[in-house]
Amino acid sequence: MPDHKYDHQAVEDKWLQFWEASRLFCGGDLNLAEEEKKDKEYLLYAFAYPSGSGLHVGHVEPKTALDIQARFKRMNGKKVFFPVGWDAFGLPAENYAIKTGIHPRETTKTAINTFRSQVKRLAISYDWDSEIATNHPEYYKWTQWIFQQLYKKGLAYQSEGKVNWCPSCQTVLANEQVVSGLCERCDSEVIQKDLKQWYFKITQYRDELIEGLKSVDWPSPTKSQQNNWIGRSEGAEADFAIKGSSEKLTIFTTRLDTVLGATFMVISPEKFDQKKLIKLLSTENQQKVQDYIGLAYKKTEETRKIGEKDKTGVDTGLLVINPFNQEEIPLFVADYVLGGYGTGAIMAVPAHDERDLAFAKKFNLKVKEVVADGKLINSGEFDGLSSSAAVKKMLVAYPEFARLSINYRLRDWLISRQRYWGAPIPVVYDPEGKAHLVKEEHLPWVLPDDVDFKPTGESPLRSSKEFKARVEKLYGKGWTPEYDTMDTFVDSSWYYLRYCSARDKSQFADKEHLKTWMPVNLYLIGPEHIVLHLLYSRFFTKFLRDEGYLDLPSGEPFAKMRHQGMILGPDGKKMSKSKGNVINPDEIIKEYGADTLRVYEMFMGPLEADKPWNPRAVAGVARFLRKIYRLVNREIAKYGDSSLKLKLVEDRADLVQKLHWAIQKLSLDLPELKYNTAIAALMEFGNVWEKMDSDTELLLEKEEILSFIKLLAPLAPFISEELYDQARVLGLSAKNSIHLESWPKYDESLIQKNFTNIAIQVNGKLRGQMEWPTNRLQDKEAILSQAKSLEAMNKWLIDKEIKKEIYVPGKIINLVVV
RNA sequence: GCCGCGAUGGCGGAAUAGGUAGACGCGCGAGACUUAAAAUCUCGUACUAGCAAUAGUGUGUGGGUUCGAUUCCCUCUCGCGGCACCA
């Protein structure tokens, strides 16, 4: 008998070298023949940021999950595209540069090299020929090109106004990057600043961004989270005249039916300013209101939102006329009404709105109830109507001052960043300060090198002499560059398109390639990207489609999406260096090998769940793989002894049954990403095999051994390659690699057992069981009479009257007795 | 407050067009091999009572529908995620 010891180190090193040399999954031809296109499978893992600390066990899970999918689909004859790249611009590298003076280009390069070798060590079967990095000029050239296309269509614009500013990162942030008033990166409190910044007009696509969610196969909580973020809200606008002025005040409400209950009006400080209403006020009120607005501006929008539920405000002294009853009601300025939503003004109905009620109580204002028991009251001609009927009637009866209106929570996307390590915004300014696009022949508009990283509150690019000189040389004296760079989310909003033509120098992506490969068939992404990245990517895809660059009618880039959960520390808490509960994948690989790491992470539980790391359970998986190795290795070796015979059919029926059952189980579970139960099925087969283990008889036919190795291949690519290689002596290993083999087939008739176990219940409680020939499961009469005559059933049936007999074929009998 | 998700042995988790709860793994107990240990293998392992056969209880709480509920409906509790003065 040969040596069954499994030397994971030697075996894995050997096959790593072999795969690298044979370039197994690289250089895939992205041009597919027409008949192959229906078999295309584009698998995508969320762009990773190559952090300096290297691969984390949390990265291993989704990468492995997709790699299993890639290998399984390939074995099933699919044309798989499984590319890799790096979201390489971003703050950590720049912050590191500020500390150490090492250029981000250098640290990023080192980090990518580390990540690349770690990913290869895990046998993730990426097509490395399509590798991209967002910091590469050949990549960001097209990021800049897309900016320019947006600009030409009026979807990239500059606007001056209040923006979120992180004092620690020294940059502005998108609304989406402000979490509860804090910077999502560094947790500093975000303040408001007046700045002229670049925006992308994502709001143009807001309805389509809602509509498109209906057609994609995404987890429904994800869809509803996106929906909530876009925040479509149907309501009405109504015009209220300001007494003694030709000015009118337009408000937005979702409860027009309560308009007769409006006892005061509120306008936001910003809107009051914008509308220049101050001139209508008496001198003393002017002073009061001015003071209040000044105070409100000092608070950040975020602290206004969260901190103070306590209402503040000031009476303007103005009166506003309710067009529905001509009642004159006071107008307040208060910051609980937000300037950026709706019309920035509301009618306050304290009887039917908590916030208005709180304000009314504080300022001693009237409360008038207008809806009771679902019907309108105190509302004149509308009394007795339901809320929805009242709204309809109001809109029809008074079109001159009330109309349907829809509002959205989604704002335009602020993309300017006052940081160095990003793609420069491809814009230059003429001596008058007017913006012009950088000429297309000057793209990529290269990020200058001679930059001082130290934060000054201004864009670092201002410190580059080369940058300024470049602009004057190309565009003329007095011309200046745009010094801001783009939000890194811009880079990652189109990378899945670039993959399809990673080396194309003439265009952002080839239209034919895009048509062939888009949409992505499976996108695996962490739940933290649900709002930002997905919304932005969908916006870009729809825009490029509308411009004719992408033949994808839905404009939905990700047909199917799933999320991976978080790998928690052994203590059940999120891994962090400070808690000391971080598991290093390199150490696991060193001790047990990459196969064990992969299989363990897939076995921990459902992919989408958060799961704690269990060091003992890792050893259990290693034990399982060693056992499998031993069994297969021995079985192959037995074929070298011609005196050994195959065990009799009836004696090995259980093993054959289990094998075919396992093939079926994996064929169903793997495409569903149910890896934990798939691995459990392999373990069950291993257990049956082990119990039957014999030195004197063959247990499996050659083809059956091969089938089992194939089942293992997507999950544990090293050990299965090794066993496949050893199985060459059987004369069945026809390919260069197990990973080029085809997926095994199962025989349904072999999965069926001759006898089926039927449970017998009395009044719904399990009281007995019996075996019954599987081919006679439909014989209800015989089965019931057999069940009733079982000795074990006597005590439950004697002296009882059977009222009802239920038989579920092949499963259960329930006898209802009294 | 609103939206969404979840709760099953000592632990991670299986099983839901309603049909034998606890697959698989970890841990634990006993045994085999060994001078011994490690490794490996075998058996057992939801809880309670019992030597056992067996009986009772059991999928967060309380109720409902059903011959039968972890699965469907309602109520509540706890935990997690998102949004949050969005009118």
Side-chain angles (χ1 to χ4, degrees):
Chain A
M1 285 291 120
D3 180 12
H4 323 128
K5 287 252 165 47
Y6 182 65
D7 182 349
H8 65 81
Q9 186 82 48
V11 168
E12 295 195 348
D13 283 349
K14 174 168 87 182
W15 295 113
L16 275 177
Q17 282 177 31
F18 172 76
W19 293 330
E20 186 74 20
S22 59
R23 294 177 44 78
L24 212 51
F25 304 112
C26 294
D29 186 359
L30 289 171
N31 297 299
L32 291 186
E34 206 50 48
E35 70 275 12
E36 291 175 324
K37 286 183 181 170
K38 62 180 189 329
D39 285 328
K40 73 95 181 176
E41 192 75 25
Y42 185 175
L43 303 173
L44 186 66
Y45 170 58
F47 232 13
Y49 178 80
S51 77
S53 47
L55 204 67
H56 181 268
V57 286
H59 291 117
V60 175
E61 186 192 27
K63 284 172 189 292
T64 303
L66 270 175
D67 182 59
I68 292 166
Q69 214 52 217
R71 290 172 188 272
F72 175 74
K73 299 282 184 185
R74 284 190 202 105
M75 291 178 85
N76 279 283
K78 298 285 187 186
K79 300 288 169 194
V80 169
F81 183 38
F82 188 30
V84 61
W86 314 102
D87 193 10
F89 274 137
L91 273 183
E94 185 171 345
N95 289 340
Y96 190 74
I98 291 166
K99 238 192 284 175
T100 63
I102 304 172
H103 197 285
R105 197 180 344 88
E106 298 307 317
T107 48
T108 301
K109 191 174 173 184
T110 309
I112 289 176
N113 285 340
T114 305
F115 264 73
R116 192 188 292 114
S117 67
Q118 285 179 309
V119 165
K120 285 189 175 180
R121 185 63 189 82
L122 282 168
I124 308 298
S125 59
Y126 287 132
D127 181 348
W128 291 97
D129 285 3
S130 298
E131 184 181 356
I132 56 181
T134 54
N135 67 319
H136 198 283
E138 281 304 312
Y139 183 89
Y140 70 69
K141 170 180 177 177
W142 300 107
T143 308
Q144 293 168 332
W145 177 85
I146 292 171
F147 174 98
Q148 299 200 334
Q149 306 314 306
L150 285 162
Y151 180 86
K152 287 174 188 168
K153 292 291 163 176
L155 296 179
Y157 65 92
Q158 265 181 310
S159 171
E160 179 138 22
K162 294 242 177 304
V163 297
N164 304 304
W165 175 267
C166 173
S168 159
C169 297
Q170 301 266 15
T171 182
V172 301
L173 300 171
N175 283 335
E176 287 84 349
Q177 289 164 327
V178 182
V179 179
S180 312
L182 305 177
C183 171
E184 71 161 1
R185 283 223 89 86
C186 67
D187 282 345
S188 310
E189 191 173 320
V190 172
I191 62 168
Q192 302 293 297
K193 236 183 171 176
D194 269 308
L195 283 172
K196 193 171 187 186
Q197 299 282 289
W198 285 96
Y199 292 81
F200 285 165
K201 203 170 180 182
I202 189 172
T203 53
Q204 176 131 334
Y205 284 90
R206 56 200 180 186
D207 280 317
E208 214 198 320
L209 287 168
I210 295 169
E211 194 58 29
L213 290 174
K214 291 178 186 154
S215 69
V216 292
D217 175 8
W218 291 9
S220 62
T222 301
K223 290 188 185 183
S224 74
Q225 214 176 307
Q226 282 233 336
N227 257 326
N228 291 344
W229 189 266
I230 299 166
R232 186 178 195 272
S233 170
E234 280 186 41
E237 275 183 12
D239 299 327
F240 287 60
I242 296 174
K243 194 182 179 190
S245 153
S246 57
E247 288 279 351
K248 64 180 180 181
L249 196 61
T250 304
I251 58 97
F252 173 73
T253 177
T254 54
R255 291 295 306 276
L256 187 62
D257 56 303
T258 63
V259 68
L260 281 313
T263 53
F264 59 100
M265 307 286 286
V266 186
I267 185 166
S268 65
E270 296 90 340
K271 199 72 188 180
F272 185 85
D273 244 5
Q274 266 173 39
K275 285 184 72 87
K276 308 210 169 20
L277 294 178
I278 196 86
K279 60 183 189 292
L280 302 176
L281 272 52
S282 70
T283 327
E284 90 187 271
N285 280 337
Q286 277 189 1
Q287 193 52 50
K288 243 169 48 187
V289 170
Q290 204 71 268
D291 288 352
Y292 177 77
I293 291 176
L295 217 63
Y297 279 173
K298 275 192 195 140
K299 305 188 210 169
T300 68
E301 186 170 357
E302 287 300 327
T303 51
R304 266 169 63 183
K305 279 189 203 166
I306 35 163
E308 312 192 5
K309 299 289 176 188
D310 190 30
K311 301 281 180 291
T312 63
V314 60
D315 192 346
T316 61
L318 292 174
L319 291 173
V320 176
I321 301 161
N322 186 337
F324 286 84
N325 60 6
Q326 308 309 315
E327 204 176 310
E328 295 179 1
I329 53 179
L331 174 64
F332 285 77
V333 176
D335 65 6
Y336 83 91
V337 171
L338 307 174
Y341 184 77
T343 60
I346 61 154
M347 63 178 200
V349 185
H352 304 288
D353 184 285
E354 263 180 59
R355 296 151 301 181
D356 297 343
L357 183 62
F359 192 85
K361 278 185 175 159
K362 185 160 176 182
F363 289 85
N364 230 340
L365 298 158
K366 271 193 293 183
V367 178
K368 180 183 169 195
E369 207 176 344
V370 287
V371 182
D373 302 326
K375 298 267 188 285
L376 266 70
I377 56 170
N378 298 326
S379 298
E381 59 183 300
F382 305 104
D383 278 357
L385 293 173
S386 71
S387 289
S388 59
V391 171
K392 274 186 201 135
K393 187 173 174 187
M394 286 168 176
L395 290 171
V396 172
Y398 300 99
E400 66 278 18
F401 50 75
R403 62 211 156 265
L404 269 179
S405 169
I406 296 164
N407 261 290
Y408 298 81
R409 189 185 175 282
L410 182 71
R411 316 282 170 89
D412 279 340
W413 173 17
L414 196 174
I415 59 117
S416 302
R417 294 293 180 276
Q418 291 70 45
R419 300 299 307 222
Y420 171 68
W421 194 228
I425 292 174
V427 165
V428 288
Y429 298 93
D430 63 24
E432 279 75 52
K434 188 170 179 296
H436 300 263
L437 289 181
V438 167
K439 290 178 190 160
E440 204 167 322
E441 71 248 37
H442 295 148
L443 299 184
W445 189 239
V446 178
L447 186 64
D449 253 347
D450 57 334
V451 166
D452 181 8
F453 302 126
K454 295 266 179 310
T456 59
E458 288 202 316
S459 302
L461 296 195
R462 282 186 189 275
S463 65
S464 166
K465 291 197 174 75
E466 181 273 320
F467 202 34
K468 243 173 273 175
R470 187 201 311 171
V471 171
E472 293 216 317
K473 186 179 166 212
L474 292 172
Y475 295 91
K477 191 132 182 62
W479 286 63
T480 51
E482 163 68 54
Y483 292 110
D484 290 349
T485 53
M486 286 189 255
D487 181 3
T488 55
F489 275 103
V490 180
D491 308 325
S492 57
S493 291
W494 70 284
Y495 74 104
Y496 47 90
L497 302 173
R498 183 63 182 170
Y499 276 147
C500 298
S501 299
R503 300 290 171 265
D504 200 322
K505 294 213 177 240
S506 63
Q507 52 191 338
F508 85 98
D510 179 272
K511 201 174 171 185
E512 268 309 303
H513 286 177
L514 290 173
K515 189 174 181 183
T516 301
W517 292 101
M518 291 297 291
V520 171
N521 294 78
L522 176 63
Y523 195 16
L524 199 57
I525 189 173
E528 69 277 14
H529 292 300
I530 285 171
V531 175
L532 303 139
H533 167 63
L534 288 177
L535 215 47
Y536 298 154
S537 296
R538 296 175 62 222
F539 161 49
F540 266 40
T541 306
K542 288 170 193 297
F543 168 70
L544 290 165
R545 174 207 57 191
D546 288 347
E547 292 305 296
Y549 295 112
L550 176 59
D551 190 356
L552 183 71
S554 72
E556 289 298 329
F558 315 123
K560 176 174 173 175
M561 178 171 60
R562 294 293 181 267
H563 306 299
Q564 80 272 12
M566 206 190 303
I567 308 278
L568 306 170
D571 54 0
K573 299 198 171 91
K574 194 173 166 176
M575 285 188 195
S576 76
K577 277 182 197 150
S578 60
K579 288 200 208 93
N581 61 352
V582 176
I583 303 291
N584 181 345
D586 292 338
E587 283 168 20
I588 304 296
I589 290 172
K590 192 166 174 233
E591 188 169 358
Y592 299 107
D595 276 340
T596 296
L597 176 60
R598 287 169 60 111
V599 174
Y600 171 63
E601 289 208 20
M602 295 304 103
F603 185 60
M604 291 172 88
L607 187 61
E608 66 280 6
D610 294 344
K611 302 159 287 261
W613 187 271
N614 179 348
R616 316 289 288 255
V618 184
V621 168
R623 203 146 51 220
F624 161 68
L625 290 175
R626 280 199 299 269
K627 177 163 93 183
I628 289 304
Y629 180 82
R630 188 177 67 241
L631 288 166
V632 175
N633 177 282
R634 258 158 56 100
E635 200 66 20
I636 292 169
K638 280 192 276 176
Y639 271 89
D641 181 347
S642 55
S643 68
L644 296 181
K645 298 235 161 15
L646 189 64
K647 205 174 177 72
L648 290 175
V649 176
E650 55 269 35
D651 291 338
R652 62 182 212 103
D654 284 354
L655 186 60
V656 173
Q657 189 272 337
K658 205 69 186 176
L659 176 62
H660 284 262
W661 169 82
I663 298 173
Q664 183 188 46
K665 181 81 178 144
L666 266 76
S667 301
L668 296 171
D669 281 357
L670 294 188
E672 295 290 315
L673 306 167
K674 292 179 181 169
Y675 300 136
N676 53 334
T677 51
I679 292 163
L682 291 177
M683 287 172 167
E684 282 192 55
F685 173 73
N687 290 343
V688 173
W689 189 354
E690 187 170 51
K691 287 218 174 65
M692 210 178 272
D693 197 16
S694 157
D695 281 339
T696 56
E697 285 178 301
L698 300 170
L699 299 173
L700 289 171
E701 293 183 13
K702 293 177 180 178
E703 286 81 2
E704 291 167 342
I705 298 173
L706 186 61
S707 288
F708 177 70
I709 302 173
K710 287 175 176 180
L711 290 185
L712 201 59
L715 296 151
F718 292 97
I719 197 169
S720 51
E721 189 80 298
E722 172 68 15
L723 290 170
Y724 183 75
D725 191 49
Q726 292 182 7
R728 285 183 196 285
V729 297
L730 302 178
L732 295 171
S733 301
K735 305 274 183 165
N736 191 19
S737 161
I738 179 101
H739 303 295
L740 301 174
E741 276 281 1
S742 58
W743 189 248
K745 303 252 182 302
Y746 56 91
D747 183 341
E748 199 109 28
S749 68
L750 291 175
I751 296 172
Q752 295 252 317
K753 290 185 172 173
N754 291 338
F755 285 87
T756 300
N757 183 280
I758 296 176
I760 306 166
Q761 295 184 338
V762 176
N763 288 344
K765 294 208 172 190
L766 182 69
R767 298 303 186 189
Q769 308 196 29
M770 66 181 197
E771 295 290 317
W772 192 262
T774 302
N775 56 10
R776 285 172 46 216
L777 285 174
Q778 295 309 315
D779 194 349
K780 182 176 174 182
E781 293 309 313
I783 289 167
L784 283 171
S785 87
Q786 171 75 23
K788 284 182 280 186
S789 66
L790 287 177
E791 210 183 309
M793 301 306 293
N794 272 344
K795 63 191 275 197
W796 303 106
L797 298 177
I798 204 147
D799 296 333
K800 299 279 165 85
E801 187 197 340
I802 298 180
K803 300 266 286 187
K804 198 171 178 183
E805 299 174 348
I806 289 146
Y807 170 56
V808 181
K811 292 207 164 143
I812 203 164
I813 289 165
N814 192 7
L815 303 170
V816 185
V817 304
V818 283

